[in-house]
Amino acid sequence: METVLSGIRSTGHLHLGNYFGALRNYIKMQDEYNCFFFIADLHSLTTHPHPADFHAGVKTILCEYLASGLDPQKSAIFVQSDVPEVSELYVLLNMIAYKGELERTASFKEKVRKQEDNVNAGLLTYPVLMAADILIHRAHKVPVGKDQEQHLEMARVLARRFNNMYGTDVFPEPQAFNFGSDLVKVPGLDGSGKMGKSEGNGVYLIDDEKTIHKKVMKAVTDSGPTEPNSKMPDSIENIFTLLKIVSTPDTVAHFTEAYNNCSIRYGDLKKQLAADICKHTLPIRERIEEIYNDEAYLHNVAKRGRELARESASATLREVRAVVGFKSF
Ligand code: TRP
């Protein structure tokens, strides 16, 4: 069985984009692959979070992952810093990662521009740590968004370089997981691009009914079509895309027809959209709260995840250490 691995940074909350774009696919993948899902808390340290916020961030994502349907009986769900083998592989990979290639990655250049007062070495070697995450479990497939493709390429480069340098095939080259027609692109509510954490255009799984209604009612629209069957501007098209994701085909057909014959009232459309989003997210929100308060359950999930991940990681590291030439006296 092939191994799939995915990591998420431990900052913020999961939004509809995460849920419909990735998590719903992960839930299905759990039956077909050997899955590793982890929370990349070491990566989050590049921004120097306060220790109290740091743990809260990890707990939040863990609860939201579990409430969304990731199943600790099927997958290894774990916290990156619980697996010290990753940090050791990171050190070893740093020896074959070159400063020039790291400086050229788009994400590093962007950080240099955005946070010039904190350009730490962890930011520079961010892709090396990510490669260690992937290679330590010898993952074959990694589902990544556009913004992470270059990092995945770096993982392939480092795997290849390591294998060539030591004449081994210890690391398979990880490929992007292609969702194909299952890929759902979830737009934001601001009429621009996709829903994102930093864009402030998202609906979160933890949002309550009132918040969801408020956000949806504020979504960008225009004054409405004046000609029958006219082309939708991006902002309206985005609302219809969201409707297609959360509503029934009948509902979508109803509002499409209303748009096409110019009788549409955006207020009604948004009310329906908000109600249908709530249908999906409110049960998850309840689960999040339950799990958040169940310390014993969280303890057991993290323990089992840690055990599975360390078993896989230590087997790889044992081989890697031998290949590099470590020998005990
Ligand atoms: N860098 C990824 C992100 O920002 C998170 C991540 C860390 C990751 N390690 C990973 C994703 C390994 C996939 C595989 O989204």
Side-chain angles (χ1 to χ4, degrees), residues 5-9 38 40 43 80 126 129-131 133-134 142-144 147-148 151-152:
L5 172 140
S6 166
I8 183 164
R9 268 167 299 161
F38 72 95
H43 278 108
Q80 186 186 31
Y126 186 105
L129 180 55
M130 185 160 155
D133 290 329
I134 297 167
V142 183
V144 285
D147 60 326
Q148 298 296 318
H151 293 160
L152 185 58

